[in-house]
Amino acid sequence: MLKVDGINVYYGNIQALKEVSLEINEGEIVTLIGANGAGKSTLLKTISGLLKPKRGKVNFKGDEIAGKAAQSIVKMGISHVPEGRRVFSNMTVEENLELGAFLRKDKEGIKEDFNKVYDLFPRLLERKKQQAGTLSGGEQQMLAMGRALMARPRLLLLDEPSMGLAPLLVKTIFRVITEINETGTTILLVEQNAHMALSIANRAYVIETGRVVLSGTAAELNESEQVKMAYLGGH
């Protein structure tokens, strides 16, 4: 479904991604593991059109998308839930969700997706008239995910969904990620919590200082000594 081929991305003179390649098949959950500053968020931003690679290709369902405008990439079926949630804090929950469907014209389908989001996140239904800025961190994360789903993506990019959340909420968020995947949405997940990420992923890539240094099935990476030492706290 997605093929990233040898991309190089720079911030000014600093090279953030070096010849990064990866593939995602339809229906998979693929996770990217790496330390802070390894280039994981940069990779998601490049796929979703927020950054432009200097070299290399990004191919989505047969179309070259590297360098396309972010909104046309959303239209093609890729939604990005950014790190730090980025909800519109002075708008209500409902208005935030409406914005997720901004590029759509199918009123019935939008109504259906509102219900789907409220089914996944009943808390958002309770808070739908509340300003997003008054929600807890976990609720804002649910809203950011719900807003992305309102675009009806084929591929969902999730950047650190569990960051700063209480353990119980982390479990909820990961359960919902699995449910979203089971309804047919392919997922690329960036996550510091390697244990949780590998527990739900089909495959994984490890990225260090802008390079992919390891890849394999989630089970293989879970067993890898290198991954255990660096990301799983040595157990």
Side-chain angles (χ1 to χ4, degrees):
M1 182 185 235
L2 183 83
K3 188 175 165 64
V4 174
D5 189 10
I7 60 170
N8 291 271
V9 177
Y10 289 79
Y11 291 110
N13 295 324
I14 297 164
Q15 189 168 2
L17 294 179
K18 301 158 189 160
E19 295 296 324
V20 168
S21 298
L22 60 82
E23 288 186 7
I24 300 173
N25 304 310
E26 191 147 354
E28 283 190 307
I29 297 179
V30 173
T31 186
L32 284 182
I33 295 168
N36 255 341
K40 306 184 302 294
S41 295
T42 301
L43 179 55
L44 293 194
K45 286 176 181 165
T46 307
I47 294 168
S48 67
L50 298 173
L51 292 171
K52 211 173 180 168
K54 205 162 197 172
R55 264 204 323 279
K57 295 187 167 135
V58 181
N59 199 287
F60 179 60
K61 291 164 66 76
D63 286 316
E64 183 48 47
I65 61 171
K68 278 197 162 134
Q71 67 266 33
S72 51
I73 291 176
V74 172
K75 226 173 187 164
M76 290 169 85
I78 299 180
S79 281
H80 184 173
V81 181
E83 189 181 351
R85 330 207 217 281
R86 307 287 178 88
V87 296
F88 298 100
S89 54
N90 55 352
M91 297 170 81
T92 66
V93 164
E94 201 165 35
E95 288 165 341
N96 268 273
L97 292 175
E98 270 167 10
L99 275 178
F102 183 71
L103 294 169
R104 292 173 57 184
K105 301 278 178 282
D106 55 320
K107 282 202 170 61
E108 280 310 302
I110 292 170
K111 212 154 83 182
E112 205 177 293
D113 286 351
F114 257 112
N115 292 331
K116 276 186 193 161
V117 168
Y118 290 143
D119 280 347
L120 278 173
F121 301 112
R123 194 86 60 86
L124 294 182
L125 180 58
E126 292 163 24
R127 310 250 190 283
K128 68 178 190 178
K129 297 294 182 206
Q130 209 166 306
Q131 281 197 328
T134 65
L135 302 178
S136 71
E139 290 163 351
Q140 288 190 13
Q141 184 59 53
M142 293 170 189
L143 180 55
M145 287 166 69
R147 182 179 59 191
L149 290 173
M150 289 300 294
R152 215 173 252 194
R154 304 293 301 276
L155 173 64
L156 184 62
L157 311 177
L158 288 169
D159 198 351
E160 301 286 8
S162 80
M163 194 192 259
L165 300 186
L168 200 63
L169 267 174
V170 172
K171 281 202 172 109
T172 304
I173 293 291
F174 273 88
R175 193 193 69 240
V176 172
I177 292 171
T178 316
E179 283 174 26
I180 291 167
N181 177 249
E182 282 163 0
T183 61
T185 306
T186 306
I187 289 171
L188 177 56
L189 169 67
V190 160
E191 183 51 68
Q192 289 249 299
N193 187 333
H195 263 301
M196 288 294 274
L198 290 171
S199 75
I200 66 165
N202 302 98
R203 291 185 306 112
Y205 290 85
V206 177
I207 190 164
E208 282 176 8
T209 57
R211 287 182 199 281
V212 171
V213 293
L214 259 185
S215 67
T217 65
E220 285 164 354
L221 263 61
N222 229 338
E223 290 308 310
S224 142
E225 286 309 315
Q226 196 180 339
V227 173
K228 279 183 188 170
M229 292 305 293
Y231 304 108
L232 301 174
H235 349 285

